């Protein structure tokens, strides 16, 4: 009997507190699978955001710290200066990264911090109970836009991967999705490239990961994945915005 | 050691480097800009790291990260910039991360004025942080004392695993005095951090369980445990071991000044002016603002002292702590200026006479 | 097509059914009767012979419930 898929040892033996069908579990696992396969679990240091994944350290078997809201890239940059050979990454949601942490993410990219950011974009605030995020789509309902996000009041959802990619030292920027097994496989490759960019010291690496929040979207998990396919991907197109030759 | 004429802010930075600080993160704000400027110039020469942060929110977050990674690190700012750092400072307290923060105070509230003030007393001592958090606060009166306190502050921060604030006013930051920078200490190398600070984030190297540094507590009993069994004993220990003060001329004094920082120097000059006029005044100069040196007030001469006067550049923020320490033993009074205006020795002397006159 | 074997940790399943939705062969379904300790009807193998070991189910599972093996 040969293993085709075995749950990674990079995840600690602890049930997650995430809702059924939440993409955090998949994103966590992919990052840990990559670190285990690269043999870098022991030299990785993670920074978790304020949001549902704040206690990601319960599940990820790497040294971790919880960041003040939105400041994860600055925290990570502080860590990286002290441990330049560590694989330092931030794991941030859309409220944390695109709203309150907009400044830190841009300046980390601008400085070309040699860290990786994994940006979980599920178009809503999860932990606080479904409020509008900077990435909430036009027409999408949330508890603070109960009639749907309208253009006049709130403008357009922020395309963070595109924004970050304007910074020349953000050398690797890719948007992936966790809506299908095929896309999850691609997401894993993107996460691996991000860590390779950091290892080679090429610059800042940013992977936006389109994810589902079935609970706050009010959808069954499988329907939520369809919603990603039908509504999110057309507005947030998948693919590499920039990638250095060395990791192509 | 050689005595050099140095500007306060530059001497503060030099003292931090001597104390083994190799990581400085900061954002420009007057009147402390010479600190980041000195750090940006000198840290690279000793293998250190300087980042000009995008904001004070980022400065304190860099500190939070670097301290969690086990490094000696420092930031500096002024008043309104310190206000912006309060969230990150609170995270450092609850996560027990050692770091040093220099606050070169200017006048407030709001953007205020760039002239010296002492109106951050409440912000740093009572803490603008949410929750039951304290920073240890030193208040030097000269550049040399500031240098010595900064040098020592890194040890205190490490021992207590708590942020330490050096609270000076813009006058001490901006003036020049002869100063001796203490000898450079050995710096802990990156490879030795996991031995000296086993809680730090270094990567577990597949040799131990992962370290976590958390400031959120999904189980409220765990947070109560952290506060009651980790933070509170530390704060109690600090209250026993850390208070420092200087007192002069308390015996036979009719009035006792309480003043810190540059204001203490002005109060001492006023004390000398009054002595020439035959009015005997003593002074208590807190060197630590938190913990406040309550015991200093037991030294007051109860036979002669009629009033305890807080001399400060705020609306009487320190006066509240003085009253708590006095527990009603003496009447109190306030001699102050605000908004970036300094007191002069003559003004303090005249107002002291008015206070004493009003008591007869 | 190689024969696949699915091993489940039913105790931690949250019954999100993502695995069910991506299985090309209808191998998986929720147990209509049993509850796990989290009070969910956990995923179970309803058509074991159909499994082709594609591992789609395991890849999309957010909770590490599913391991997939191939017969030698």
């Amino acid at each position: 009997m040969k293993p085709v898929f075995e749950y990674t040892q990079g995840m600690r033996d602890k049930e997650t507190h995430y809702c059924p069908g939440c993409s955090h579990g998949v994103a966590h696992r992919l990052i840990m699978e990559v670190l285990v396969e690269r043999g870098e679990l022991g030299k990785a240091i993670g920074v978790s955001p304020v949001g549902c994944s704040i206690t990601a350290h319960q599940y990820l078997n790497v040294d971790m710290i919880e960041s003040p809201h939105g400041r994860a890239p600055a925290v990570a940059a502080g860590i990286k200066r002290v441990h330049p050979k560590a694989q330092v990454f931030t794991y941030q949601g859309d409220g944390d990264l695109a709203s309150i942490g907009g400044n830190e993410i841009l300046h980390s990219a601008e400085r070309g911090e040699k860290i990786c950011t994994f940006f979980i974009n599920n178009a809503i605030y999860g932990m606080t109970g479904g409020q509008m995020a900077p990435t909430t789509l036009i027409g999408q309902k949330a508890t603070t836009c109960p009639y749907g996000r309208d253009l006049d009041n709130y403008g357009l959802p922020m395309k963070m991967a595109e924004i970050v990619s304007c910074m020349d030292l953000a050398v690797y920027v890719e948007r992936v999705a966790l809506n299908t097994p095929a896309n999850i496989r691609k997401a894993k490759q993107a996460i691996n490239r991000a860590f390779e960019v950091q290892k080679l010291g090429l610059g800042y690496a940013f992977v936006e990961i389109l994810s589902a929040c079935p609970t706050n979207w009010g959808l069954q998990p499988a329907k939520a994945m369809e919603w990603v396919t039908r509504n999110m991907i057309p507005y947030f197109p998948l693919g590499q915005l920039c990638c250095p030759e060395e990791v192509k | 050691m050689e005595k050099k004429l140095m500007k306060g802010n530059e001497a503060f930075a030099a003292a931090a480097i001597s104390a083994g600080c190799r990581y400085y993160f900061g954002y420009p704000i007057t009147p402390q800009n010479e600190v980041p400027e000195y750090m940006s110039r000198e840290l690279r020469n000793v293998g250190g790291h300087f980042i000009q942060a995008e904001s004070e929110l980022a400065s304190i977050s860099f500190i939070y990260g670097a301290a969690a990674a086990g490094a000696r690190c420092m930031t500096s700012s002024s008043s309104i910039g310190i206000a912006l750092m309060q969230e990150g400072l609170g995270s450092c307290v609850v996560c027990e991360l050692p770091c040093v923060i220099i606050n070169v105070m200017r006048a407030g509230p709001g953007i205020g004025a760039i002239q010296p003030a002492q109106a951050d007393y409440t912000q740093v001592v009572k803490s603008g942080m949410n929750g039951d958090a304290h920073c240890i606060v030193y208040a030097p009166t000269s550049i040399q004392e500031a240098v010595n306190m900064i040098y020592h502050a890194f040890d205190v921060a490490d021992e207590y695993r708590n942020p330490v604030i050096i609270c000076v006013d813009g006058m001490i930051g901006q003036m020049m005095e002869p100063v001796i920078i203490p000898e450079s200490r050995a710096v802990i190398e990156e490879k030795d951090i996991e031995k000296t600070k086993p809680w730090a984030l270094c990567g577990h190297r597949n040799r131990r369980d992962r370290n976590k540094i958390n400031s959120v507590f999904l189980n409220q009993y765990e947070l109560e445990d952290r506060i009651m069994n980790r933070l509170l004993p530390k704060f109690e220990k600090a209250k026993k071991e850390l208070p420092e003060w200087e007192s002069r001329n308390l015996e036979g004094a009719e009035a006792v000044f309480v003043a810190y920082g540059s204001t203490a120097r002005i109060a001492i000059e006023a004390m000398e002016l009054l002595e020439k006029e035959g009015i005997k005044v003593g002074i208590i100069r807190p060197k630590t603002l938190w913990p406040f040196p309550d015991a200093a007030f037991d030294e007051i001469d109860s036979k002669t002292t009629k009033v305890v006067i807080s001399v400060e550049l705020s609306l009487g923020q320190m006066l509240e702590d003085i009253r708590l320490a006095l527990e009603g033993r003496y009447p109190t009074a306030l001699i102050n200026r605000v908004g970036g205006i300094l007191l002069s020795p003559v003004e303090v002397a005249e107002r002291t006479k008015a206070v004493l006159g009003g008591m007869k | 097509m190689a024969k696949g074997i699915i091993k489940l940790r039913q105790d931690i399943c949250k019954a999100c059914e993502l695995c069910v939705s991506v299985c090309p062969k209808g191998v998986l379904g929720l147990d209509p009767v049993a509850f796990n300790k989290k009070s969910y009807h956990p995923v179970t193998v309803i058509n074991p012979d159909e499994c082709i070991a594609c591992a789609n189910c395991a890849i999309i599972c957010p909770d590490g419930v599913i391991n997939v093996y191939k017969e030698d």
Side-chain angles (χ1 to χ4, degrees):
Chain A
M1 203 169 72
K2 282 188 298 198
V4 179
F5 180 101
E6 279 185 328
Y7 198 54
T8 177
Q9 295 298 307
M11 293 292 284
R12 303 176 81 236
D13 189 16
K14 171 113 176 134
E15 293 165 36
T16 72
H17 69 288
Y18 300 121
C19 303
C22 168
S23 298
H24 275 309
V26 177
H28 285 12
R29 187 193 79 221
L30 294 180
I31 296 168
M32 291 301 104
E33 282 178 354
V34 166
L35 286 170
V36 168
E37 286 162 23
R38 296 177 61 85
E40 292 173 344
L41 199 65
K43 57 184 284 197
I45 301 173
V47 184
S48 62
V50 171
C52 291
S53 55
I54 186 165
T55 59
H57 52 70
Q58 295 184 95
Y59 317 123
L60 310 186
N61 187 15
V62 293
D63 279 8
M64 281 199 89
I65 185 167
E66 293 165 1
S67 167
H69 202 5
R71 318 283 163 242
V75 175
I79 294 168
K80 184 72 178 183
R81 289 300 194 285
V82 181
H83 299 302
K85 288 189 188 126
Q87 286 279 28
V88 181
F89 67 92
T90 72
Y91 185 101
Q92 301 176 257
D94 38 48
D96 191 80
L97 182 143
S99 190
I100 194 167
N103 203 25
E104 280 71 18
I105 207 74
L106 291 184
H107 284 272
S108 298
E110 180 220 13
R111 285 191 303 267
E113 290 292 344
K114 287 158 191 72
I115 58 172
C116 304
T117 289
F118 302 113
F119 168 40
I120 308 299
N121 177 2
N122 59 12
I124 204 143
Y125 279 70
M127 189 167 71
T128 44
Q131 293 80 14
M132 186 184 66
T135 51
T136 293
L137 297 175
I138 294 293
Q140 184 188 339
K141 287 180 181 169
T143 60
T144 49
C145 53
Y147 309 108
R149 175 174 180 153
D150 70 295
L151 190 68
D152 281 353
N153 257 334
Y154 299 113
L156 286 164
M158 291 175 83
K159 297 184 176 182
M160 288 311 298
E162 284 79 355
I163 292 167
V164 169
S165 71
C166 293
M167 304 287 173
D168 288 346
L169 293 181
V171 293
Y172 176 62
V173 180
E174 179 160 1
R175 185 184 283 119
V176 296
L178 303 179
N179 58 330
T180 65
N183 278 343
I184 292 171
R185 287 184 170 95
K186 286 186 197 156
K188 184 174 170 181
Q189 291 165 1
I191 290 165
N192 186 43
R193 279 191 288 272
F195 280 120
E196 185 64 14
V197 164
Q198 182 175 172
K199 188 186 169 195
L200 297 175
L202 301 175
Y204 182 59
F206 182 95
V207 182
E208 177 170 340
I209 302 170
L210 301 184
S211 302
C213 181
T215 298
N216 286 304
W217 293 354
L219 294 172
Q220 294 279 344
K223 295 276 179 222
M225 294 307 173
E226 282 173 29
W227 197 87
V228 173
T229 313
R230 220 174 290 137
N231 298 297
M232 286 185 83
I233 293 177
Y235 186 81
F236 299 115
L238 304 185
Q240 284 178 3
L241 288 120
C242 52
C243 181
E245 281 302 321
E246 292 91 327
V247 301
K248 266 182 182 157
Chain B
M1 299 299 294
E2 191 196 350
K3 207 169 213 181
K4 283 185 283 192
L5 188 66
M6 284 184 92
K7 192 170 198 172
N9 285 337
E10 297 210 330
F12 307 159
I17 293 175
S18 270
C21 169
R22 289 295 177 271
Y23 297 87
Y24 175 91
F25 312 97
Y27 185 81
I29 181 171
T30 307
Q32 59 83 56
N33 292 316
E34 294 82 1
V35 182
E37 284 166 0
Y38 186 96
M39 286 301 202
S40 69
R41 200 163 66 231
E42 299 297 334
L43 267 177
R44 64 193 296 170
N45 300 331
V46 291
H49 294 263
F50 167 88
I51 302 178
Q52 179 167 325
E54 55 269 36
S55 68
E56 288 87 350
L57 303 175
S59 306
I60 193 67
S61 302
F62 282 117
I63 290 289
Y64 178 73
R72 281 197 157 175
C73 54
M74 184 174 91
T75 185
S76 60
S77 190
S78 175
S79 301
I80 193 167
I82 298 290
L84 275 167
M85 293 183 185
Q86 294 291 343
E87 179 201 20
L89 265 180
S91 297
C92 289
V93 172
V94 75
C95 295
E96 302 189 276
L97 300 178
C99 53
V100 174
I101 298 102
I102 298 178
N103 178 13
V104 186
M105 288 184 285
R106 58 191 258 175
I111 299 169
I114 59 170
Q115 285 76 17
Q118 295 181 315
D120 285 3
Y121 185 92
T122 304
Q123 175 174 227
V124 297
V125 172
K126 303 297 171 185
S127 137
M129 300 173 279
N130 61 313
D132 287 301
H134 286 292
C135 290
I136 295 160
V137 185
Y138 286 93
T141 193
S142 66
I143 296 176
Q144 185 65 61
E145 190 174 60
V147 161
N148 297 347
M149 282 175 172
I150 290 163
Y151 193 73
H152 178 55
F154 285 93
D155 291 340
V156 175
D158 277 344
E159 185 192 340
Y160 281 83
R161 285 185 61 186
N162 203 73
V164 177
I165 297 179
I166 311 294
C167 202
V168 299
D169 54 71
M171 188 152 87
I172 300 175
Q174 288 296 322
M175 69 189 183
M176 292 183 87
E177 281 183 331
V179 62
I180 294 172
I181 303 297
E183 212 163 304
S184 288
R185 282 208 191 101
V187 176
I188 297 161
E189 285 180 48
E190 189 211 345
K191 66 176 172 48
D192 296 325
I193 289 175
E194 58 179 341
K195 274 176 268 163
T196 54
K197 295 182 175 175
W199 47 265
L201 306 177
C202 304
H204 58 57
R205 290 155 220 251
N206 305 314
R207 290 201 293 258
R208 55 164 168 80
D209 190 11
R210 59 92 180 91
N211 282 348
K212 69 169 162 112
I213 293 179
N214 63 302
S215 72
V216 77
F217 294 80
L218 301 179
N219 176 343
Q220 65 271 40
Y221 292 99
E222 278 178 31
L223 177 55
E224 187 184 47
D225 177 63
R226 173 75 63 95
I227 295 167
M228 295 305 293
N229 298 319
R230 297 267 290 274
L231 302 186
L232 178 63
K234 203 160 73 172
F235 296 154
E236 293 297 333
K237 180 175 176 240
K239 283 180 187 170
K240 269 199 213 97
E241 295 179 359
L242 294 182
E244 284 182 48
W245 70 91
E246 180 197 354
S247 52
R248 290 195 201 177
N249 301 350
L250 294 183
E251 205 186 322
E254 201 176 335
V256 172
F257 290 152
V258 186
Y260 69 96
S262 62
T263 308
R265 297 163 73 144
I266 293 160
I268 286 167
E269 278 191 47
M271 189 173 84
E272 288 159 3
L273 290 176
L274 288 163
E275 198 168 12
K276 282 180 197 154
E277 298 185 37
I279 301 166
K280 197 154 187 253
V281 176
I283 184 167
I284 292 170
R285 176 172 75 84
K287 295 183 184 178
T288 53
L289 299 182
W290 197 91
F292 195 69
D294 292 346
F297 296 84
D298 298 338
E299 296 175 357
I300 293 174
D301 191 338
S302 60
K303 292 193 285 296
T304 57
T305 301
K306 294 184 202 144
V307 62
V308 175
I309 303 170
S310 185
V311 186
E312 54 179 306
L313 303 179
S314 81
L315 285 181
Q317 296 181 15
M318 183 171 65
L319 183 58
E320 293 177 12
D321 276 344
I322 295 169
R323 285 177 175 158
L324 284 171
L326 289 175
E327 293 182 313
R329 284 176 284 177
Y330 304 93
T332 56
L334 175 65
I335 293 177
N336 65 337
R337 293 298 293 260
V338 296
I341 310 293
L342 296 175
L343 286 157
S344 73
V346 172
E347 182 181 353
V348 174
E350 291 304 315
R351 287 171 69 176
T352 303
K353 283 190 268 182
V355 167
L356 286 170
M359 303 196 71
K360 276 166 189 161
Chain C
M1 195 66 84
K3 167 81 180 69
I5 297 160
I6 288 176
K7 299 214 165 165
L8 300 172
R9 284 182 64 190
Q10 290 179 314
D11 55 327
I12 59 169
C13 176
K14 295 174 186 160
C16 72
E17 291 187 277
L18 285 174
C19 53
V20 177
S21 75
V22 298
C23 176
K25 295 287 182 180
V27 174
L28 299 166
L30 295 191
D31 190 318
V33 182
F35 291 98
N36 66 11
K37 64 174 187 203
K38 299 170 93 72
S39 308
Y40 291 113
H41 288 298
V43 66
T44 190
V45 180
I46 52 175
N47 287 310
D49 296 340
E50 294 293 313
C51 180
I52 56 170
C54 70
N56 275 358
C57 53
I59 284 167
I60 207 159
C61 174
D63 293 292
V65 173
I66 306 168
N67 284 339
V68 183
Y69 301 86
K70 215 183 253 187
E71 271 186 357
D72 292 326

